[in-house]
């Protein structure tokens, strides 16, 4: 075949995840903790234009559908609900692999407004992998009922990301959400996530490792995130990189790190 992931980029990435592209519409991933209303958001955005199947090689259910906004189409992928992207389960692995290797044009992280703190953990992980993140603070009606106030502008400023409050059951906030999805996916709005900073020792180790990682993976994934995962001894990520990038050199980088 001779085609590598790096040479063919997005279309190969999508083929690996079995995503059929009709009009090369932008791909939008929906991520979030379990029970935050992802599927309700997904159903409202795609209506009847959806179908389900399994993720390639996995018994994890996948729903995908089409959002039409201002006459343009977007392919939405409802990822399994996960608390983290550390690939500790098949669900986490699917979500992590798709966000990292599937190259979505935007990733919407649906969070529960009534327990924001716990949910933000996933947002911080997603924004280490990709810049193109939109935070959807869902269940805002429930939060209001519980007298929880959320300063959406402050949250947006702190994260460096667009943040939209929604109530998926009633459709509140959906106009802004779809406008923002369109703007990010089509490059009219560029989120600038504020990176999470770790202790001095970790930051120094990342700074040493990052250039080597960048040499191996090029611009295919965030070198900082991969370096952090390697420092954490994440062998599953190395396997995934071999699968998706054919990056055999990654194994030797990994050995050096673990030595
Ligand atoms: N009040 C209120 N209920 C909501 C809202 N969004 C979703 N729900 C309800 O919350 C429950 C869970 O919603 P789902 O859409 O299934 O959540 P999910 O994130 O897809 O859940 P998993 O796929 O199981 O992780 C359902 O009963 C929804 O009707 C909202 O904004 N407000
Ligand atoms: Mg769901």
């Amino acid at each position: 075949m001779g085609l590598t992931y790096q040479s063919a980029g997005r279309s190969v990435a999508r083929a690996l995840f079995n995503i059929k592209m009709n009009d090369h519409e932008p791909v939008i991933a929906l991520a979030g903790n379990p029970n935050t209303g992802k599927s309700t958001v997904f159903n409202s955005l795609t209506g009847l234009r959806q179908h389900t199947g399994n993720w390639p090689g996995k018994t994890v259910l996948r729903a995908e559908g089409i959002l039409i906004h201002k006459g343009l189409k977007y392919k939405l992928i409802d990822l399994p609900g996960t608390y983290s992207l550390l690939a500790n389960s098949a669900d986490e692995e699917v979500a992590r692999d798709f966000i990292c290797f599937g190259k979505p044009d935007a990733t919407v992280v649906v969070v529960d407004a009534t327990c924001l703190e716990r949910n933000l953990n996933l947002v911080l992980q997603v924004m280490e992998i990709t810049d193109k993140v939109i935070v959807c603070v869902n269940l805002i009606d429930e939060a209001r009922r519980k007298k929880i106030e959320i300063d959406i502008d402050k949250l947006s400023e702190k994260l460096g990301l667009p943040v939209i409050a929604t109530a998926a059951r009633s459709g509140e906030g959906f106009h802004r959400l779809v406008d923002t999805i369109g703007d990010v996916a089509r490059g009219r709005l560029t989120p600038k996530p504020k990176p999470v900073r770790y202790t001095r020792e970790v930051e120094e180790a990342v700074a040493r490792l990052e250039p080597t990682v960048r040499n191996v993976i090029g611009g295919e994934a965030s070198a900082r995130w991969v370096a952090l995962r390697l420092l954490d001894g994440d062998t599953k990520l190395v396997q995934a990189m071999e699968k998706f990038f054919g990056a055999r050199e990654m194994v030797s980088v990994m050995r050096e790190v673990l030595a």
Side-chain angles (χ1 to χ4, degrees):
M1 219 170 62
L3 268 185
T4 64
Y5 179 95
Q6 259 151 324
S7 66
R10 278 164 36 126
S11 47
V12 167
R14 274 142 205 206
L16 283 167
F17 289 96
N18 222 351
I19 293 183
K20 291 179 192 64
M21 305 298 293
N22 296 325
D23 307 319
H24 296 278
E25 60 267 19
V27 170
I28 316 297
L30 277 185
N33 287 182
N35 219 29
T36 53
K38 284 180 308 306
S39 298
T40 312
V41 171
F42 175 79
N43 289 334
S44 315
L45 295 180
T46 60
L48 296 173
R49 299 173 300 272
Q50 49 175 265
H51 70 270
T52 52
N54 274 353
W55 287 89
K58 297 265 185 324
T59 51
V60 178
L61 190 74
R62 150 162 129 195
E64 61 181 77
I66 298 288
L67 158 71
I68 301 173
H69 177 56
K70 295 187 175 162
L72 299 171
K73 283 183 179 174
Y74 300 82
K75 187 171 288 258
L76 257 67
I77 312 280
D78 190 13
L79 295 175
T82 58
Y83 291 106
S84 91
L85 295 177
L86 300 179
N88 290 323
S89 65
D91 283 1
E92 288 189 10
E93 199 178 333
V94 160
R96 196 260 333 252
D97 283 355
F98 190 72
I99 294 168
C100 181
F101 306 112
K103 296 182 171 288
D105 297 284
T107 299
V108 178
V109 187
V110 181
V111 298
D112 180 344
T114 67
C115 46
L116 199 54
E117 198 174 338
R118 185 180 68 188
N119 280 235
L120 283 178
N121 187 28
L122 184 70
V123 176
L124 296 176
Q125 288 184 24
V126 173
M127 67 195 229
E128 277 187 334
I129 302 179
T130 167
D131 286 356
K132 294 185 216 163
V133 185
I134 298 161
V135 180
C136 169
V137 179
N138 193 39
L139 290 136
I140 199 74
D141 53 333
E142 279 296 308
R144 246 181 245 131
R145 208 173 55 77
K146 293 184 178 169
K147 311 244 178 294
I148 298 169
E149 274 179 38
I150 296 171
D151 187 337
I152 296 289
D153 292 339
K154 185 84 164 273
L155 184 60
S156 171
E157 188 197 308
K158 291 246 174 216
L159 294 170
L161 300 174
V163 178
I164 291 107
T166 62
R169 265 199 200 155
S170 66
E172 179 184 340
F174 269 47
H175 283 302
R176 277 202 64 206
L177 179 64
V178 287
D179 280 347
T180 309
I181 289 174
D183 286 347
V184 172
R186 294 184 188 274
R188 290 188 294 259
L189 175 65
T190 311
K192 299 246 175 350
K194 304 219 167 116
V196 180
R197 292 287 164 204
Y198 297 91
T199 59
R200 196 164 56 88
E201 289 85 350
V202 173
E203 288 298 338
E204 280 172 6
V206 169
R208 277 203 305 276
L209 196 56
E210 227 183 295
T212 317
V213 171
R214 194 168 290 116
N215 271 344
V216 175
I217 63 171
E220 293 299 339
S222 156
R224 176 179 167 82
W225 175 68
V226 172
L228 281 163
R229 298 310 311 136
L230 290 180
L231 288 170
D232 206 24
D234 189 340
T235 49
K236 281 197 184 144
L237 180 66
V238 177
Q239 286 162 11
M241 290 197 140
E242 278 193 278
K243 180 170 144 199
F244 293 107
F245 295 162
R248 305 217 167 273
E249 304 94 323
M250 213 62 221
V251 179
S252 50
V253 174
M254 179 78 190
R255 286 215 188 93
E256 268 174 44
V257 174
L258 296 178

